[in-house]
Amino acid sequence: MNAVESSVNAAPVADWRNYPIHANLAGVHSASDRLSVTWSDGRISPFHHQWLRDNCACNQCVFSVTREQLFEIVDAPESLHPQRTRIDEHGHLLIDWQDGHHSSFHPGWLRAHAYDDASRAERFARQPQSRLWGAELSEQLPQFDYPSVMSDDSALLQWLLAVRDIGVTQLCDVPTTEDVLPALAKRISFIRESNFGVLFDVQSKADADSNAYTAFNLPLHTDLPTRELQPGLQFLHCLVNDATGGESVFVDGFAIAEALRQEAPELFRTLCETPVEFRNRSRTSDYHCLAPIIALDARGVVSEIRMSNFLRSAFDAPVEQMPALYSAYRRFIAMTREPRFRVQRRLNAGQLWCFDNRRAMHARTEFDPASGARHFKGCYIDRDELLSRIRVLQR
Amino acid sequence: MNAVESSVNAAPVADWRNYPIHANLAGVHSASDRLSVTWSDGRISPFHHQWLRDNCACNQCVFSVTREQLFEIVDAPESLHPQRTRIDEHGHLLIDWQDGHHSSFHPGWLRAHAYDDASRAERFARQPQSRLWGAELSEQLPQFDYPSVMSDDSALLQWLLAVRDIGVTQLCDVPTTEDVLPALAKRISFIRESNFGVLFDVQSKADADSNAYTAFNLPLHTDLPTRELQPGLQFLHCLVNDATGGESVFVDGFAIAEALRQEAPELFRTLCETPVEFRNRSRTSDYHCLAPIIALDARGVVSEIRMSNFLRSAFDAPVEQMPALYSAYRRFIAMTREPRFRVQRRLNAGQLWCFDNRRAMHARTEFDPASGARHFKGCYIDRDELLSRIRVLQR
């Protein structure tokens, strides 16, 4: 790359991103409905007239205070053409439109938003990828130090990247007071409330409104599959754990789903395509959600696991699909029990789990409430808030 | 129907639903992997052995306090068969399993969960359906009286059903104090927080972090398309509106999407299939979301509109798809501007809008901040909480 490197904030309207110039504009050619831009590294990027007019960032088209568009593309004719195009002495692409409007595009911004195949593939390759794990994570558990995370933004960022990419993390040296969890959450964003409260107490209760609030073995599950959006991150802060039993278990739901895709593709497809209902009813609430157990993103990558056997309704599927649904469901549960996927750890007072609730299924082994106290404090934060915080820390 | 009607709470474990007996069990026949049940009205319902064992509601299989399953189907062999089946003197289906376990099924519960084609079609037909509207809603605006909604559960239910099925409602006789909105929200559930706060103030501000906080014309949009889950309900409570201009505009995004499906099916498909990025950046947050403008549910019915031109990123689609994307996007915006779809109303002090933010796009005409004060207080509640509240009120 022989292009001039620069890292000025070059967008016409500040949006907190930099657009370094990786290649210069070398030429512009007109076609019927688009311009074809040639870059100094040989790449050719087509830009449709509509796209260019739509992305004009002048002060008439975008409000400089909010950096939000005032113009709407439907207010320009569909046939709008450039009258004149040129590359100016700063390397910007200038367009004089037929209707008298003028637009100017910074080469760094234009390259960052080019939609030729090579540019799109480059952007795709830069997206964060999940690192799948199995039982070996037990030896390499991502552990972070609470005082550092609270005081140091780079320690905070390292922790949050591990939450995003690995999905299970542990904080150590956490004070065992009830004000810790709200303070920690605030380091990231605001808390996602539910009918169980802003904070919830995981304790064995006589009047339990969830099996989570008993001393039973609680099989591997995600929390609140009964909601359209399952909570993104779950925090479990151990205040006291003097009871016998009650170890934490985690599996990587993404790793299990990918293994299922390899080992039994038709069962994987069944879990991606069959909506299953989850429900939770109490005297004051009545939640239902109907969605598949495995969700894929637009690229076909596993993006979410929704699963809690104890919150599942009776399967409701066409008669001919029922046997396949049971085969797939049985296989999935059986896989969550396989040692190759499982990490089992006791959480002690002063430790805290933070995990991706839509990826890492979690479980608790049975404990004996007569043997000692056990009290975890919990809360949720959504993935949107995690990702927003990471982007701000990375600016 | 000559079946005995009864409305005892007949599920073995109370789940706050009644299972009236619309038909009695008339016979049970065994097939290889299922039982075939004949009802007194002639309907035949197959039930697979796995399904029946999975739904055993005895005290061993379900914890009676939480009404949640303890048993997991993978703990029964895939080949499990009934040893003996019969209908007892109460009309229940009894099964003695090969492995010694016993199950009993109430005929009302069994019929309510039968998955033969006729039973599934019956359940499908009972699901609530959106009532689509256009400009004529202006003459029939669903209006409710705040004092009644606060004091009377049946008035509350009528209002919430209108929110669910029509998507735009107005409350009148609302006190103009800032404590009203949290109290009203509490009648339904808890508030969905965002980076704009638990409550937000819609006012013209010099340091606006959204075009919503200016005096500009704000085109038809949904709020927070930048989040994976757009807020379900939006509340806008008018405390003062002495400014010139600033009228509220609503369109039914579902009605526009259905009209587009009729009038230009290929453009409709483009908006259902092309992910579009929405983003909102401030000094302390940086939200992105990539999703199509129109979302369909599992039945192919329009279930969500995600659209805000001023929060949209540059389109990023393969070159050959870009012209179709612009055609579809232009057409959609043009439709939101058509008089046939639009309801325009001024909201005055003491009035409140409550609308489905994922369905009813809303706009504000330009106002003159020098002409008088204008202050709306806003908050969000999600659809899950609305539906839960409706179900509890309907018990």
Side-chain angles (χ1 to χ4, degrees), chain B residues 137-167:
Chain B
L137 192 76
S138 197
E139 309 309 315
Q140 312 148 15
L141 197 68
Q143 285 177 311
F144 299 84
D145 170 61
Y146 174 83
S148 306
V149 158
M150 290 304 287
S151 61
D152 174 2
D153 276 359
S154 84
L156 175 64
L157 178 59
Q158 291 316 305
W159 172 46
L160 298 183
L161 290 172
V163 173
R164 184 190 70 183
D165 297 334
I166 301 170

Side-chain angles (χ1 to χ4, degrees), chain B residues 26-337:
Chain B
V28 186
H29 304 275
S30 278
S32 62
D33 63 346
R34 66 192 76 174
L35 299 184
S36 182
V37 160
T38 307
W39 300 94
S40 54
D41 62 355
R43 183 172 297 174
I44 295 174
S45 302
F47 293 101
H48 290 84
H49 299 149
Q50 289 283 309
W51 188 96
L52 289 163
R53 179 64 190 87
D54 186 23
N55 288 295
C56 177
C58 78
N59 280 338
Q60 270 175 275
C61 291
V62 175
F63 181 45
S64 60
V65 174
T66 58
R67 308 155 311 284
E68 293 173 0
Q69 198 175 19
L70 297 169
F71 172 73
E72 292 186 287
I73 186 61
V74 72
D75 288 318
E78 202 152 7
S79 61
L80 187 71
H81 274 63
Q83 196 156 55
R84 182 170 174 243
T85 63
R86 64 189 175 96
I87 299 164
D88 76 2
E89 65 276 23
H90 307 296
H92 291 218
L93 171 65
L94 303 190
I95 301 177
D96 300 333
W97 298 97
Q98 278 174 326
D99 63 358
H101 196 81
H102 303 280
S103 300
S104 164
F105 297 92
H106 180 273
W109 185 90
L110 205 56
R111 176 78 171 214
H113 293 81
Y115 50 95
D116 58 274
D117 292 346
S119 297
R120 297 189 82 224
E122 230 171 55
R123 278 199 295 279
F124 180 85
R126 274 199 306 269
Q127 289 183 1
Q129 306 230 332
S130 299
R131 283 181 276 156
L132 304 188
W133 48 266
E136 77 287 353
L137 192 76
S138 197
E139 309 309 315
Q140 312 148 15
L141 197 68
Q143 285 177 311
F144 299 84
D145 170 61
Y146 174 83
S148 306
V149 158
M150 290 304 287
S151 61
D152 174 2
D153 276 359
S154 84
L156 175 64
L157 178 59
Q158 291 316 305
W159 172 46
L160 298 183
L161 290 172
V163 173
R164 184 190 70 183
D165 297 334
I166 301 170
V168 172
T169 65
Q170 190 178 78
L171 292 191
C172 306
D173 286 329
V174 189
T176 55
T177 53
E178 301 215 355
D179 55 347
V180 159
L181 203 47
L184 178 63
K186 212 172 170 184
R187 274 292 275 164
I188 304 173
S189 186
F190 52 87
I191 291 175
R192 156 88 180 263
E193 190 169 353
S194 81
N195 64 312
F196 296 107
V198 173
L199 303 179
F200 50 86
D201 291 283
V202 186
Q203 280 174 303
S204 176
K205 301 173 195 174
D207 63 338
D209 53 357
S210 160
N211 283 359
Y213 303 144
T214 68
F216 302 145
N217 174 66
L218 200 64
L220 284 156
H221 66 284
T222 57
D223 269 24
L224 305 199
T226 52
R227 309 310 149 92
E228 195 173 347
L229 182 71
Q230 298 184 103
L233 308 189
Q234 179 167 171
F235 297 76
L236 288 174
H237 175 206
C238 180
L239 298 176
V240 50
N241 192 358
D242 296 335
T244 306
E247 299 214 333
S248 304
V249 183
F250 292 98
V251 298
D252 183 353
F254 290 1
I256 290 178
E258 290 299 348
L260 183 64
R261 172 157 32 197
Q262 290 304 313
E263 295 165 18
E266 74 293 351
L267 301 184
F268 174 82
R269 241 186 340 267
T270 296
L271 295 186
C272 291
E273 291 171 4
T274 314
V276 169
E277 190 188 70
F278 297 92
R279 45 116 190 78
N280 176 254
R281 299 192 180 96
S282 75
R283 292 186 197 288
T284 55
S285 65
D286 198 333
Y287 286 99
H288 298 191
C289 181
L290 184 71
I293 290 173
I294 300 175
L296 307 180
D297 68 15
R299 305 166 296 172
V301 175
V302 175
S303 59
E304 176 163 32
I305 303 296
R306 182 184 294 267
M307 172 69 186
S308 175
N309 186 68
F310 53 94
L311 299 175
R312 182 174 52 86
S313 302
F315 282 147
D316 183 9
V319 173
E320 65 278 11
Q321 291 175 21
M322 197 59 84
L325 178 54
Y326 269 105
S327 295
Y329 189 70
R330 292 177 66 99
R331 176 71 164 264
F332 189 77
I333 295 186
M335 287 176 85
T336 66
R337 297 182 179 187

Side-chain angles (χ1 to χ4, degrees), chain A residues 22 31 48 54 67 73 89 93 98 139-140 151 167 172 189 191 199 203 215 256 285 309 318 364-365:
Chain A
H22 295 299
H48 290 85
D54 187 22
R67 307 157 310 283
I73 186 60
E89 65 277 21
L93 172 65
Q98 277 175 325
E139 309 309 315
Q140 312 147 14
S151 61
C172 306
S189 186
I191 292 175
L199 303 177
Q203 282 174 302
I256 291 178
S285 65
N309 186 68
R364 175 196 63 216
T365 63

Side-chain angles (χ1 to χ4, degrees), chain A residues 7 91 94 157 184 190 203 240-241 252 263 298 310 361 383:
Chain A
S7 72
L94 304 191
L157 178 60
L184 177 63
F190 53 87
Q203 282 174 302
V240 50
N241 192 359
D252 183 353
E263 295 165 19
F310 53 93
M361 298 169 67
R383 275 190 192 164

Side-chain angles (χ1 to χ4, degrees), chain A residues 384 386-395, chain B residues 286-288:
Chain A
D384 276 337
L386 170 73
L387 298 178
S388 167
R389 187 69 171 119
I390 287 175
R391 290 184 197 110
V392 171
L393 288 167
Q394 285 178 332
R395 275 181 192 162
Chain B
D286 198 333
Y287 286 99
H288 298 191

